[in-house]
Amino acid sequence: MSASAATPAPAGGQKDRVAWLAVPAVGYLAIVYALPLVFLLARSVTGPEGFTLSLFIQFFSDPYSWRVIWNTLRIALLTTLVCLVIGFPVAIAMARAKGLMQVALLVAIILPLSIGVVVKAFAWQIVLRRDGVVSQFLVGTGIWSEPQRLLFTESGLVLGAANVFLPFMILPIYSVVKLIDPRLSEAGATLGASPFYRFRRIFLPLTMPGLVSGIAFVFSMSVSMFVIPSLLIGDRFQMLATLTGRSFLLMRNEALGSTTAVVLLVLAVSIVVASSWLAKRLGGSQ
Amino acid sequence: MTRFTKDGIDRRILLAGLGAGAIGTLSAPSVLRAQTREIVVGGAASHKPWVDAHVAPIFERKYNAKLTFEGTRSLVNLEKMQKNKDRPYLSVVQMDDPVMILAVREQLLEPITAAKAPNVAKLKPGTIHMEGQWANYLQPWQGIAYNTNVLKEPPASWNDAYDPKFKGRIIIPSLQNTEGLPNLFMASHLATGKPMAEAARDTENGFKKLVSLKPNLLTVYNQMPQAFSLLEQGEAHMIVGALSSFALQRRLDGAPIGLAAPKEGIFPVPSGIAVVKGGPNQDLAFAYVNELLGAEIQAKIAPPTFALPTNVDVPPPPGMPTGVAIHTIDWGFVADNRNDWVRRWDREMSM
């Protein structure tokens, strides 16, 4: 037996055995996630005479479907953008904070996750009404001449959704920023780089994997949200998830529901796969 | 060496004891269940307070049984029945009439007969449907709920909601909700002046009139509590097509809400009850139905739900509107056309 063959064998064997730890989770997901997905996919390509793509053709040839897809993508993009703009500085502040301040910031970010979406949506209802805090602030600062309606508007929906999903943007960025050695920036400064140049050429590329993960998290959750739009914008604004729910529950049209669910799934998976690829690429280039 | 302790408990005894303990622990729930039989009733979430307060205590005492009430929407109950058709866990459902029609079409219900629920003989005409597939135990009504702090006079007409002064202040129910349908029929009546029975079939004109309500809409709800919360806060001024069973209860609780019966008339929204085909404890299920159709329970639940009783021996509760037309709805016609209406609603009523 050669030395090269003998040495790595235990490590490889150990690795294989450790992989078995994932079996319960894989089995669980296979039953409650993958199997229903297969049924869903099968239903979306099954007609009275077997395999067909007619459901998708019918769906995409209806202009209303495109409006719903556009609604879904627009709201998801705007929500992600708001989370990014608010969350990025917060993540940096958290990573750079020390001691009690860092604990306080972490608790402030994580604690809201324990509050249900429905409760948050009702809270936003109070905040966004005509005599609510937002309206009073905008009138008080002179931005609005009189109170206006924010509830059941796209702006209200984006604000409410961003509030729910913000921790999912902050935490991945925070975990990456925390690992960045602050001396890198200091080294840049000693070489004469301006703060903006150091941010753009040193800090931003290093945080990119966290940014991409946060964006992927928030976008994939925003694109498929159901309860938040139901409560914050109501029945007059359809997104793919609400249309899917309605197709199954109200219209009892499994064909349409399966089709819209598959379209939604493809959109969400595409974003996740693309962001993983981007994260790897950016990670590899450093 | 088999002994474990100085008291003489050996391994065999210990293992036998553990085994017996395990079997006892695992079988305990079924043993306990066997002592008290249980039925699960699927109904509307808004029914839970009066079921818990007025129905469950009487039923559980009388039949030595446990009653579990699952509150959700009628369509969700239908989904539960359909998905569990082979092994139903619901024994009874309390749903809206249009959803009952769908359940009948999917053969999910067990007909109610006088032999199994004798109180059906005491029901008013027109409250037993499709050869006893379901019966109505109450008839709440629909009018216009309004915030009494904002509107000092109740709305006199369904047309008031279209007044431009209510821009962004009106809430209506979605067509997803049963109580959303009368708005379509009333809109047609307002637009054409036809008698209600005729106008209800002219949904083309109904939709044209409803579209003109869009500037006044704050939202279209599918969650009734949220809509009432907005009305109570004053963000909304009216809910056009509100149910008496919810609106008047909120008024009783002290909310600044009134419920108007406009001059064009009101709509009854019959509450149906049915036994789930093949559901657990069918004898208890029929007993529960019988109780809800009986005078004792109806006399208790009609006043707090602000609904008309269906048992002939129970008088209407005080405070019911008088002198206004009560328009009945052809639920069969609704069931045949509702999906097309919802599609059209999505396209024409969207933001």
Side-chain angles (χ1 to χ4, degrees):
Chain A
M1 189 185 284
S2 69
S4 60
T7 314
Q14 180 74 21
K15 236 183 219 173
D16 290 344
R17 282 199 297 277
V18 169
W20 283 99
L21 291 173
V23 167
V26 171
Y28 174 75
L29 287 176
I31 292 167
V32 304
Y33 184 68
L35 202 60
L37 266 187
V38 171
F39 287 141
L40 190 77
L41 288 167
R43 183 66 190 87
S44 69
V45 291
T46 308
E49 292 166 7
F51 178 80
T52 178
L53 289 175
S54 63
L55 294 170
F56 287 97
I57 294 167
Q58 207 178 325
F59 178 76
F60 286 115
S61 54
D62 182 351
Y64 180 71
S65 304
W66 288 102
R67 206 158 94 199
V68 174
I69 292 172
W70 173 234
N71 285 348
T72 310
L73 290 175
R74 190 174 68 249
I75 293 297
L77 279 170
L78 288 170
T79 304
T80 310
L81 188 67
V82 171
C83 285
L84 182 65
V85 170
I86 299 172
F88 192 28
V90 175
I92 297 168
M94 264 171 61
R96 295 286 179 255
K98 304 265 181 241
L100 266 181
M101 177 56 81
Q102 191 175 51
V103 173
L105 283 171
L106 262 172
V107 169
I109 298 302
I110 291 169
L111 205 60
L113 289 173
S114 63
I115 298 169
V117 172
V118 175
V119 177
K120 281 182 185 167
F122 270 89
W124 274 101
Q125 193 174 293
I126 294 165
V127 170
L128 294 174
R129 67 190 195 200
R130 283 178 180 86
D131 59 351
V133 179
V134 177
S135 186
Q136 282 181 0
F137 173 77
L138 292 169
V139 171
T141 52
I143 297 170
W144 281 355
S145 56
E146 58 179 29
Q148 290 177 30
R149 185 158 73 91
L150 270 171
L151 261 178
F152 305 107
T153 63
E154 287 186 38
S155 311
L157 173 60
V158 170
L159 283 175
N163 169 242
V164 175
F165 299 134
L166 189 59
F168 299 96
M169 178 66 80
I170 294 173
L171 293 173
I173 303 174
Y174 160 76
S175 64
V176 172
V177 173
K178 201 167 167 51
L179 297 174
I180 298 173
D181 189 339
R183 288 173 301 177
L184 287 172
S185 187
E186 290 164 16
T190 59
L191 294 171
S194 68
F196 178 70
Y197 187 88
R198 295 197 312 266
F199 174 79
R200 192 167 62 84
R201 297 301 299 269
I202 301 171
F203 188 76
L204 196 58
L206 290 172
T207 55
M208 205 49 88
L211 282 172
V212 172
S213 301
I215 288 168
F217 270 136
V218 174
F219 187 87
S220 55
M221 286 191 288
S222 311
V223 88
S224 58
M225 61 185 171
F226 177 79
V227 176
I228 302 170
S230 300
L231 291 172
L232 285 185
I233 200 161
D235 196 52
R236 296 173 66 206
F237 186 86
Q238 290 296 322
M239 294 172 67
L240 279 168
T242 50
L243 194 61
T244 304
R246 163 186 285 190
S247 304
F248 279 111
L249 286 174
L250 172 73
M251 300 170 83
R252 309 187 64 69
N253 187 343
E254 287 189 7
L256 176 63
S258 308
T259 309
T260 52
V262 169
V263 172
L264 179 58
L265 185 71
V266 169
L267 280 175
V269 169
S270 305
I271 297 299
V272 172
V273 170
S275 58
S276 303
W277 173 81
L278 197 62
K280 265 186 193 165
R281 196 156 178 264
L282 292 168
S285 67
Q286 286 158 31
Chain B
M1 180 90 177
T2 55
R3 285 185 186 280
F4 274 70
T5 72
K6 62 181 178 183
D7 296 328
I9 300 172
D10 67 18
R11 190 166 52 198
R12 283 183 186 172
I13 291 171
L14 186 68
L15 285 174
L18 285 173
I23 290 166
T25 306
L26 291 172
S27 62
S30 58
V31 171
L32 292 174
R33 274 199 301 271
Q35 288 173 346
T36 307
R37 294 197 301 153
E38 179 183 12
I39 58 166
V40 181
V41 177
S46 58
H47 291 176
K48 191 162 172 56
W50 59 258
V51 170
D52 286 350
H54 302 296
V55 183
I58 293 175
F59 178 80
E60 292 188 344
R61 193 173 54 244
K62 204 164 173 180
Y63 298 94
N64 188 29
K66 180 168 166 46
L67 172 67
T68 300
F69 187 85
E70 279 190 5
T72 177
R73 286 194 295 169
S74 293
L75 283 161
V76 176
N77 279 319
L78 179 64
E79 190 75 11
K80 286 178 184 175
M81 281 196 285
Q82 192 207 31
K83 295 297 180 205
N84 298 292
K85 193 175 180 180
D86 296 333
R87 295 186 65 187
Y89 77 96
L90 292 173
S91 295
V92 176
V93 279
Q94 292 170 206
M95 308 194 298
D96 303 326
D97 282 19
V99 185
M100 286 289 190
I101 292 173
L102 301 177
V104 172
R105 287 178 182 172
E106 296 186 29
Q107 301 182 333
L108 297 168
L109 305 180
E110 186 72 36
I112 303 165
T113 61
K116 291 175 178 170
N119 282 329
V120 288
K122 291 280 188 179
L123 295 182
K124 291 175 188 171
T127 54
I128 304 167
H129 304 277
M130 298 178 89
E131 296 170 344
Q133 292 279 346
W134 83 92
N136 298 131
Y137 58 95
L138 282 180
Q139 289 181 316
W141 57 277
Q142 263 185 278
I144 299 178
Y146 62 100
N147 184 307
T148 50
N149 290 338
V150 180
L151 303 177
K152 298 303 172 195
E153 292 295 322
S157 164
W158 291 83
N159 220 8
D160 290 2
Y162 294 80
D163 190 325
K165 73 179 177 189
F166 293 116
K167 187 180 175 191
R169 297 291 193 176
I170 302 294
I171 295 179
I172 58 173
S174 162
L175 277 193
Q176 285 192 56
N177 299 37
T178 301
E179 72 269 21
L181 293 155
N183 273 324
L184 180 59
F185 308 142
M186 183 51 79
S188 171
H189 172 70
L190 293 173
T192 63
K194 292 176 185 171
M196 184 54 72
E198 199 183 329
R201 293 187 170 259
D202 182 3
T203 50
E204 182 63 34
N205 279 308
F207 270 109
K208 281 182 187 159
K209 174 78 176 171
L210 266 183
V211 168
S212 69
L213 185 63
K214 280 172 73 171
N216 281 9
L217 289 180
L218 172 63
T219 188
V220 172
Y221 82 79
N222 43 39
Q223 303 288 337
M224 204 186 302
Q226 186 195 25
F228 274 88
S229 163
L230 290 162
L231 184 68
E232 289 167 26
Q233 290 167 29
E235 184 70 17
H237 292 177
M238 290 185 208
I239 298 176
V240 182
L243 280 176
S244 61
S245 48
F246 201 97
L248 294 176
Q249 181 59 51
R250 290 300 303 143
R251 187 176 70 180
L252 206 64
D253 293 341
I257 285 179
L259 184 64
K263 64 182 181 188
E264 293 88 358
I266 56 174
F267 294 85
V269 183
S271 302
I273 188 164
V275 171
V276 178
K277 185 183 271 185
N281 296 319
Q282 292 268 297
D283 58 326
L284 278 178
F286 279 106
Y288 178 83
V289 170
N290 195 47
E291 290 298 329
L292 251 75
L293 301 181
E296 183 189 3
I297 296 275
Q298 287 205 8
K300 283 183 187 299
I301 62 176
T305 55
F306 305 94
L308 291 163
T310 57
N311 187 302
V312 290
D313 293 337
V314 184
M320 294 298 292
T322 52
V324 288
I326 299 177
H327 304 294
T328 51
I329 293 170
D330 180 351
W331 294 114
F333 177 66
V334 169
D336 289 339
N337 294 284
R338 195 173 185 180
N339 280 358
D340 290 336
W341 295 341
V342 170
R343 275 190 212 99
R344 184 164 179 182
W345 173 276
D346 275 345
R347 285 157 177 76
E348 297 186 15
M349 296 301 286
S350 62
M351 294 167 71

